[in-house]
Amino acid sequence: MELLYGPIRDYAWGSRSAIAMLQGRPVPSAGPEAELWLGAHPGAPASVQRAGLRVSLCDLVRDEPGKWLGQRVSDRFGTRLPFLLKVLAADAPLSLQAHPDAEQARVGYAAEAGRPPGERNYSDPHHKPELLVALTPFEALCGFRDPTESAEALAAFGVPALAPVVAALRTGPVGLRTAVQSLLAWPVAERDELLGSVLAAPADGPDAELARRLATAYPGDPGVLVALLLHHVRLGPGEAIWMPAGNLHAYLRGCGVEIMAASDNVLRGGLTPKRIDADELLRVLRFEVLEDPVRNAQPVGPGVDCWPVPVDDFALHRVRVGAAVPSVTLPLPGPRVVLCGAGSVTVDDGAGAVTLVSGQAAIGMATGEPLRISGDGEAYVATAGLG
C-alpha cells in the first residue's frame, strides 16, 4: 500500500470545517473545501510519492494498467480507474442535477465533438451513478416523490400561476414531465414575480421552509420549485443515498463519503450559476417515482459492511476495527483505495503496510494480496464492483 494524496476542490458551496476537521487541520480553513478527490479522474487526479516527487495516479494507471487495475478491470474498463472516491462537504445547496446513463453519455459525447469545453454537456463518454454515505447528519433532495404530494405542496402556496403545474402533478407520474418542463421554461421576466408570490404566501411546513431556504441562496431560480417535487431526505451517519442515472437530485448540507463511476457528466437544471441546458436535462431524466433513495448498510462479516448497488464500476465497504474486532481481511480483487474515516488503521496488501489516521488515504496495486486492516478506527474501501 502507498499513501495517496488527493486534491481538495474549492467550490463555493463547500464547508470551511468538515474536511479540515476530518484531516485534523485548523478550523476554519482559509476558504471553502467542497470535495476531496481520491482517484485518477483527469479533472483532479490524486498522486503518490516517487523519489520525493508527486506522481499523478492517472499517469501510473495509464503506463502500468496491469499492475494498478488487473486483467479483469482492464478488460472491462480499459486503461482507466473506473471509480472515483470522494469526501463531499456541503455548507450550501449544490446544483439541481442528473447524470446520463451509459448510452446517453456515449451518444451525447460523440454528438458534441468539436464544441468548445464551455459549450459541452458531456466531458466524457461514461455514465455517473453515485452512492453517498453520510459521515455527519446529511440533507439531500433525491429523486421524484409521489406527484400527488408535490401537487399539494405547490397548491398550498395559493399562487394562481402554478395551477397548471398543480393540475399536471395531480395526474400522477405521467404529469411529471409537463410539470418539470413548465417550471424550467418559466419566462425569465416573470420568475422573480412567481417566486415572490410563493415566498409571500402564508403556507407553512417543511416544503415552505425548504422553498424559502433555496430562494434565499438562489433568488429568481425556478429550480426552487422543481426541488419541491423531490424526496427531502435526512440521513444519519452510516445511511446512504443511491442515485442511479436519470434521477434528479441536489445535496443540501452535510459531509459524506461518495463513490461514483469515474465521470464528470453533470446536467444541471437550477440552483447554480453554472451552465444549464434544460432541454438536455429533460432528455435524460427518468420521469418516474423513486420509491426509496436511502440505502442502509448490509453486514458482510465481523466489522465489515457494504451498500450493494447494481453497477460494476464500483463497490464500497466500511471496516471498523478495535477491541471487539482487532483485524479484518478482505479478499477484494482489483485496485483498492482506502480512506480512514476515524481513528487510526493499518492497511497491508502483502506488498507493504501503511498506517492511516483520519482523513488520510492509501492505494494498493491490483497485484497485491487480500487487504488486512487492523488498528482502532474506521476505514472505507473502494474497489471495482466486479466481485
Side-chain angles (χ1 to χ4, degrees), residues 313-353:
D313 306 74
F314 61 81
L316 185 67
H317 290 77
R318 180 179 60 186
V319 175
R320 289 179 284 192
V321 289
V325 182
S327 67
V328 165
T329 299
L330 294 177
L332 299 173
R336 286 80 57 94
V337 174
V338 182
L339 167 71
C340 182
S344 173
V345 297
T346 297
V347 187
D348 189 350
D349 64 353

Side-chain angles (χ1 to χ4, degrees), residues 21-367:
M21 289 176 63
L22 180 71
Q23 295 185 327
R25 293 185 282 108
V27 173
S29 56
E33 297 180 334
E35 295 180 344
L36 170 66
W37 284 32
L38 298 168
H41 191 283
S47 59
V48 299
Q49 198 89 350
R50 287 285 188 278
L53 300 175
R54 297 279 179 89
V55 179
S56 166
L57 190 58
C58 283
D59 294 341
L60 294 176
V61 170
R62 181 197 62 221
D63 295 342
E64 299 180 294
K67 288 184 179 179
W68 290 97
L69 301 178
Q71 193 64 50
R72 290 186 68 201
V73 172
S74 295
D75 288 346
R76 171 67 177 84
F77 297 103
T79 56
R80 66 184 186 95
L81 188 67
F83 60 84
L84 173 60
L85 183 68
K86 296 181 181 180
V87 177
L88 182 147
D91 262 2
L94 281 68
S95 60
L96 196 64
Q97 60 186 259
H99 310 298
D101 63 26
E103 179 63 13
Q104 290 166 340
R106 185 187 65 79
V107 172
Y109 182 72
E112 293 180 349
R115 288 191 193 178
E119 298 178 12
R120 299 189 67 136
N121 292 304
Y122 298 91
S123 60
D124 56 68
H126 308 299
H127 68 165
K128 191 188 176 187
E130 56 192 35
L131 175 80
L132 183 139
V133 179
L135 291 175
T136 69
F138 197 93
E139 186 181 2
L141 303 170
C142 304
F144 291 116
R145 64 176 174 173
D146 184 335
T148 59
E149 295 179 12
S150 302
E152 297 312 306
L154 294 185
F157 292 113
V159 177
L162 289 175
V165 178
V166 172
L169 291 169
R170 284 179 172 156
T171 66
V174 295
L176 277 171
R177 177 183 290 274
T178 298
V180 174
Q181 190 167 18
S182 297
L183 291 172
L184 292 182
W186 210 275
V188 173
E190 301 174 13
R191 290 177 180 178
D192 286 342
E193 181 181 355
L194 172 66
L195 287 175
S197 298
V198 168
L199 298 179
D204 197 9
D207 290 303
E209 189 273 335
L210 175 62
R212 294 184 179 108
R213 279 174 54 198
L214 295 178
T216 299
Y218 299 101
D221 192 322
V224 169
L225 296 178
V226 178
L228 301 185
L229 311 187
L230 307 180
H231 292 284
H232 188 183
V233 173
R234 290 177 174 86
L235 303 178
E239 293 183 306
I241 302 166
W242 161 241
M243 281 291 99
N247 278 271
L248 198 59
H249 61 283
Y251 299 149
L252 302 180
R253 185 164 50 198
C255 182
V257 173
E258 187 178 30
I259 187 168
M260 60 190 64
S263 169
D264 203 24
N265 286 326
V266 180
L267 298 163
R268 299 177 179 89
L271 308 183
T272 180
K274 294 182 179 180
R275 183 175 185 272
I276 291 174
D277 187 334
D279 289 339
E280 188 64 14
L281 175 67
L282 290 167
R283 193 181 73 82
V284 305
L285 281 182
R286 294 181 179 177
F287 291 100
E288 58 193 29
V289 174
L290 183 64
E291 293 298 337
D292 187 3
V294 177
R295 294 288 176 102
N296 293 311
Q298 304 294 313
V300 294
V304 184
D305 44 33
C306 68
W307 298 264
V309 293
V311 295
D312 59 6
D313 306 74
F314 61 81
L316 185 67
H317 290 77
R318 180 179 60 186
V319 175
R320 289 179 284 192
V321 289
V325 182
S327 67
V328 165
T329 299
L330 294 177
L332 299 173
R336 286 80 57 94
V337 174
V338 182
L339 167 71
C340 182
S344 173
V345 297
T346 297
V347 187
D348 189 350
D349 64 353
V354 63
T355 297
L356 307 174
V357 297
S358 180
Q360 287 188 318
I363 186 168
M365 294 184 181
T367 52

